[in-house]
Amino acid sequence: AKPNWIKINGKFYDTSEFRHPGGNIVEMFYGLDGTTGFESFHGHNKKAEKFLAALPELTEAPKGLFEPRPVVSSLYGLCVVAAIVAAVLLAPKAPVLAGLLVGTAWAHCGFLQHMGGHREMGALSFGWQHFFEGLCKGGSASWWRNRHNKHHAKTNVLGEDGDLRTTPFFAWDATLAKKVPDWSLQTQAFTFIPALGAYVFIFAFTVRASKTDAAVFYATGYAFQGIYLGFFFGLSHFAVERVPSEATWLESSMCGTVDWSGGSAFAGYLSGFLNVQIEHHMAPQMPMENLRKIRGDCKQLALQFNLPYREMNFYEAVKLMLGGLWTTGQEELALRKSYVAAAAAVMDKLHA
């Protein structure tokens, strides 16, 4: 059954008896945070404020798709912890293989702490995040929250979304390309994925290993973790257009994200549910396992507001990401060559 409530400015309103004067558009926000939609349509409308104030306010947050799923999430977490233990036991005999296993597990620790950082686990959220981010993989939960909250507030906004700070090595659009040297523009489509191995590689040097095998284990693990995390994040954000700073939450969520294989539970767990980023940005506190259930609502919302809703398969997403790097690099190099040719022509005329 479709939810009969809507969240506006932090409050939950019962809409079961409400008939919206503007039609059934309000139903597209049922079960979601409708604050930006309300402000866009009724930001200076006192009559709309009176209608809102007249709606019954729920004393407790409604249960449903936003309700934590502790059993499923705990089983997921136990599998990841078991993989870490197995990797440690395997390390003395096969350090490279163990490194790949622990790197995969650490990447999934990143996905699990992501759930806690978005308060998906209720009162346990921050403890959950510190366990998987801090204890299991040696990161900082508070640093992550500070960075990631900016990503959600200003998705794909240049200068404000820290995840776009990939220069001077990689450029995803014409603006960033100005800050990247020629050699990197020429090769970025091919070097991006291998370079992700250095994403968290610095941590490998904090390990004072007495044996070469231990160093190989940690170095492999951290390098592969960077490739795993960076690759799946890049599929969902980097290749789409940049968003202006004044864009609404709805606009940045739809324009700055991509879904790939959104209906697949396997793809969801494989990527830490980064394959349903549109839905995650629309409802960041909803448990990741439930995001597939609101894909239809988000599609209707995009259609209603004439915004893009991009969904594709895995191959198309990879092609979009790497193809975007290649196209951006080639276009900027061609532009630079035209400048050089124009300058040379001017110099020839001056010397004629």
Side-chain angles (χ1 to χ4, degrees), residues 1-184:
K2 200 173 183 69
N4 57 2
W5 56 267
I6 190 170
K7 182 180 179 181
I8 297 177
N9 292 323
K11 297 180 180 180
F12 294 89
Y13 294 95
D14 182 356
T15 55
S16 57
E17 302 297 327
F18 179 59
R19 297 295 176 266
H20 187 252
N24 64 355
I25 182 176
V26 70
E27 295 179 7
M28 296 178 180
F29 290 92
Y30 283 179
L32 299 171
D33 190 326
T35 303
T36 55
F38 181 83
E39 291 177 348
S40 297
F41 279 95
H42 309 301
H44 302 285
N45 190 326
K46 293 183 179 180
K47 188 174 181 179
E49 295 283 353
K50 291 181 179 179
F51 271 109
L52 183 64
L55 289 176
E57 188 177 334
L58 300 175
T59 55
E60 295 183 355
K63 297 181 179 180
L65 294 178
F66 283 90
E67 188 70 9
R69 300 183 62 179
V71 175
V72 175
S73 299
S74 296
L75 288 173
Y76 180 15
L78 283 172
C79 290
V80 172
V81 171
I84 294 175
V85 173
V88 172
L89 296 175
L90 181 63
K93 297 180 179 179
V96 175
L97 180 61
L100 292 173
L101 177 59
V102 81
T104 302
W106 280 336
H108 280 272
C109 283
F111 300 147
L112 286 159
Q113 69 86 23
H114 182 218
M115 296 177 177
H118 280 292
R119 307 300 296 271
E120 293 178 22
M121 304 298 295
L124 301 176
S125 293
F126 282 173
W128 176 277
Q129 186 187 25
H130 282 288
F131 175 78
F132 284 105
E133 178 65 21
L135 183 62
C136 289
K137 64 188 287 281
S140 168
S142 59
W143 174 87
W144 181 92
R145 289 195 299 271
N146 179 57
R147 180 186 179 94
H148 194 67
N149 287 339
K150 294 173 184 175
H151 164 68
H152 273 268
K154 294 290 185 178
T155 305
N156 270 26
V157 176
L158 286 174
E160 298 183 50
D161 185 348
D163 291 331
L164 293 178
R165 293 171 186 168
T166 57
T167 57
F169 302 108
F170 305 103
W172 300 93
D173 57 58
T175 301
L176 293 176
K178 306 294 183 188
K179 304 176 182 179
V180 177
D182 289 5
W183 65 266
S184 186

Side-chain angles (χ1 to χ4, degrees), residues 3-4 17 39 41 64 73 103 126 153 187 195 216 224 278 292 306 308 312 339 351:
N4 57 2
E17 302 297 327
E39 291 177 348
F41 279 95
S73 299
F126 282 173
T187 60
V216 171
F224 190 66
I278 295 174
R292 296 193 307 277
N306 196 30
M312 56 194 68
Y339 291 156
H351 289 89

Side-chain angles (χ1 to χ4, degrees), residues 261-278:
S261 302
S264 169
F266 174 77
Y269 281 101
L270 180 69
S271 67
F273 300 95
L274 295 182
N275 63 322
V276 281
Q277 281 293 279
I278 295 174

